[in-house]
Amino acid sequence: MTLAKSSPLLAGAVALLLALGATGAGAVALDATPLAADPPPGAISDNLEFVANAPEASSAIAVNFIDDTMFVSTVTGIYSYDVADPAAPQLLGVLPMYIWENEDMDVDAERELLFISRDPRGFTTPVAPAQARLFGAVHIIDVSNPALMAQIGFVTLPAGHTSTCVSADPDDVDSCDYLWTGGPYGNTAFGPYGRPIYATDVTDPLNPVTCPEPINTGLMDDGSTGYAHDVQVDGDGVAWVSHEAGVNGYWTAGEHTDPLTGTTRTATPCEPIPYGGGSTPSAATPSRFMHNSFRNVDLSIPGQDGSTGAVLMATEENLSSSCASSGRFATYDIRSSLDGSGFADPAGFRMDVLDTWTPEDAEGATGCASAHYFEDRGDGLLAYAFYGQGLRLLDTSDPTDIRQVGYFRPDDASAWAGYWRDGYIYVADNGRGVDILRLNEDADGSVAPAVMPTVTAPALSAAVAARQAARFEADEVFGYLCPIVVA
């Protein structure tokens, strides 16, 4: 990754951290110039209002919240903001650190901890040869004072890129007892596996302990151990592993019947029990590299009794300018997988596809871009990032008919993730920083698509289109596409 342009930012962050250490907690006295409230050039649907931008976090990758504090993971460190007033976010502190990549950053709100997942490229460079990539790691950060964040724990792992909290408590699916870490593998001297999931006990954050065996081996890439990228936990406590070929879900706590053996045992984060999911067909997702997923346990398929909780949503990441091959968003009916077929026969089983979606020909779009992270508001309305095609609001209340009901596409967009919070949407843009939007809904709380398409997106110039395409460079060694900062 080209970081020369970021050195002034790091220098400023260090100075800021030193000042915080001298003054203690509290908002930082910054330049009184108000944050921009005018929307950026581009295409914005009339049900979205541009509220503010936090430009300091210009290389934003991921966002998370503890109460009114927003934490932003960037290439150069962690930023903390007071967002009690979303229209005027106040910078509280900075923890300078070169981080690659720490997507989907997780927090433990109860213990006020933040977890940074560093992949093997983060210890060298994103384009270093495989033999130079020795290990990944997890940094455990105490953020109880967001103006003075501090590392309290650290563990190295054979892989790294994303780390997700999973629970060992069947009565509290939100407890952060373990981390499941996925991402590029280190040097092959560490073992015969591809890029599986590694589980780490963080009940004592000062002394994290990694489980002896990796998870999700032999299920990816049609039977081998390919690339496990990320994990999302649903409302029932099932941890869904998105990987190179599909998505598999596991129980990590409680008594459950293993569909592969028919026996009942206790699931743990080190020895989980298969739940469902499996491989995706190439007709729906041409690259079959599944990046992240989510199951809304309350969502059903209209007109189909017994389908509540049967819908799995997943992102295919495939960074391409071609609409035929750019990464797609897909919805699946997982009921046929609940007998363990996706685990028993990963090469032959394929999940049942309900629908797919890309920005191609959508209102507010200038072309295609890969799907990336999305977040469900809780009712099937997704805040969905599509890189250069910006943020898209997708209605999945009928998962067989995915509909766009809003969009925010600045001309310089590089949207990596969108997050819901109290009627606002926070967009992590790896160039713009964090954009804050407000959704204006009808009185009954619905998002009416009939009044949405009022802005016609202008075509990008050839120069801008080329610049957006050049933001990304394929890392062929690991089969993953690594974003690159360009001049």
Side-chain angles (χ1 to χ4, degrees):
M1 178 135 193
T2 304
L3 295 173
K5 291 176 65 179
S6 299
S7 56
L9 175 60
L10 182 64
V14 172
L16 176 59
L17 184 63
L18 293 175
L20 289 170
T23 60
V28 183
L30 300 174
D31 190 320
T33 303
L35 294 171
D38 294 331
I44 306 173
S45 59
D46 65 357
N47 56 2
L48 281 174
E49 175 188 354
F50 180 76
V51 175
N53 171 262
E56 303 88 2
S58 59
S59 59
I61 289 176
V63 170
N64 214 321
F65 300 87
I66 297 179
D67 297 327
D68 286 333
T69 304
M70 175 176 71
F71 298 93
V72 185
S73 178
T74 77
V75 173
T76 56
I78 301 295
Y79 288 72
S80 61
Y81 293 84
D82 182 343
V83 290
D85 179 2
Q90 298 296 310
L91 181 62
L92 298 174
V94 181
L95 179 62
M97 180 189 301
Y98 283 130
I99 306 169
W100 192 261
E101 186 173 350
N102 197 38
E103 289 192 314
D104 194 26
M105 175 180 60
D106 218 338
V107 299
D108 182 339
E110 182 176 345
R111 295 187 292 173
E112 297 182 295
L113 299 175
L114 179 148
F115 304 100
I116 294 175
S117 187
R118 180 185 298 276
D119 74 30
R121 296 170 295 188
F123 284 100
T124 52
T125 74
V127 294
Q131 60 268 26
R133 303 169 179 177
L134 299 180
F135 45 77
V138 173
H139 305 256
I140 302 175
I141 311 299
D142 180 350
V143 293
S144 56
N145 179 356
L148 197 61
M149 299 173 281
Q151 178 172 301
I152 61 170
F154 178 81
V155 61
T156 58
L157 297 167
H161 187 81
T162 65
S163 289
T164 302
C165 289
V166 300
S167 174
D169 182 354
D171 297 321
D172 184 5
V173 300
D174 294 322
S175 66
C176 188
D177 306 306
Y178 282 70
L179 296 176
W180 276 17
T181 298
Y185 204 68
N187 192 301
T188 55
F190 276 91
Y193 300 104
R195 298 157 184 86
I197 292 294
Y198 288 86
T200 302
D201 184 343
V202 291
T203 52
D204 178 1
L206 277 67
N207 298 287
V209 178
T210 301
C211 299
E213 297 295 330
I215 296 164
N216 212 64
T217 59
L219 296 174
M220 303 172 279
D221 198 19
D222 289 343
S224 65
T225 300
Y227 189 143
H229 181 266
D230 202 0
V231 178
Q232 280 75 38
V233 179
D234 67 28
D236 287 342
V238 178
W240 293 91
V241 179
S242 301
H243 56 78
E244 187 179 4
V247 184
N248 290 82
Y250 296 87
W251 296 109
T252 65
E255 297 284 325
H256 303 279
T257 299
D258 187 329
L260 298 179
T261 64
T263 60
T264 299
R265 60 183 175 89
T266 301
T268 70
C270 288
E271 297 182 352
I273 295 175
Y275 171 75
S279 297
T280 179
S282 58
T285 52
S287 78
R288 302 180 67 226
F289 181 83
M290 305 312 291
H291 184 272
N292 54 279
S293 63
F294 186 67
R295 181 178 73 122
N296 182 331
V297 298
D298 297 319
L299 196 63
S300 61
I301 304 171
Q304 296 194 22
D305 294 338
S307 65
T308 300
V311 179
L312 178 68
M313 300 179 278
T315 289
E316 175 200 26
E317 186 180 39
N318 186 20
L319 299 174
S320 168
S321 60
S322 166
C323 289
S325 58
S326 287
R328 300 178 184 178
F329 168 53
T331 53
Y332 304 89
D333 180 347
I334 60 170
R335 285 176 290 181
S336 66
S337 73
L338 299 182
D339 63 356
S341 295
F343 291 86
D345 184 19
F349 178 82
R350 295 293 184 266
M351 290 188 290
D352 298 322
V353 179
L354 297 172
D355 199 9
T356 64
W357 194 90
T358 73
E360 183 179 10
D361 298 327
E363 186 73 25
T366 59
C368 286
S370 176
H372 205 228
Y373 279 102
F374 66 88
E375 184 169 278
D376 189 330
R377 188 175 65 170
D379 57 359
L381 183 62
L382 309 185
Y384 211 135
F386 279 84
Y387 288 116
Q389 292 303 321
L391 183 88
R392 303 282 156 169
L393 296 185
L394 300 184
D395 179 0
T396 62
S397 57
D398 179 354
T400 68
D401 183 20
I402 302 165
R403 299 181 309 126
Q404 174 177 280
V405 294
Y407 52 86
F408 173 74
R409 186 201 53 76
D411 285 344
D412 58 349
S414 183
W416 282 38
Y419 307 86
W420 293 101
R421 187 176 182 276
D422 299 334
Y424 290 84
I425 306 169
Y426 294 75
V427 184
D429 187 293
N430 193 244
R432 294 180 47 78
V434 179
D435 287 313
I436 304 175
L437 314 174
R438 178 164 45 219
L439 176 61
N440 298 315
E441 300 181 274
D442 291 344
D444 62 359
S446 64
V447 181
V451 300
M452 182 271 294
T454 60
V455 180
T456 300
L460 293 182
S461 68
V464 172
R467 191 161 60 246
Q468 287 194 353
R471 286 178 180 271
F472 307 103
E473 177 178 293
D475 178 357
E476 296 179 354
V477 174
F478 287 104
Y480 183 68
L481 295 162
C482 174
I484 300 295
V485 173
V486 297

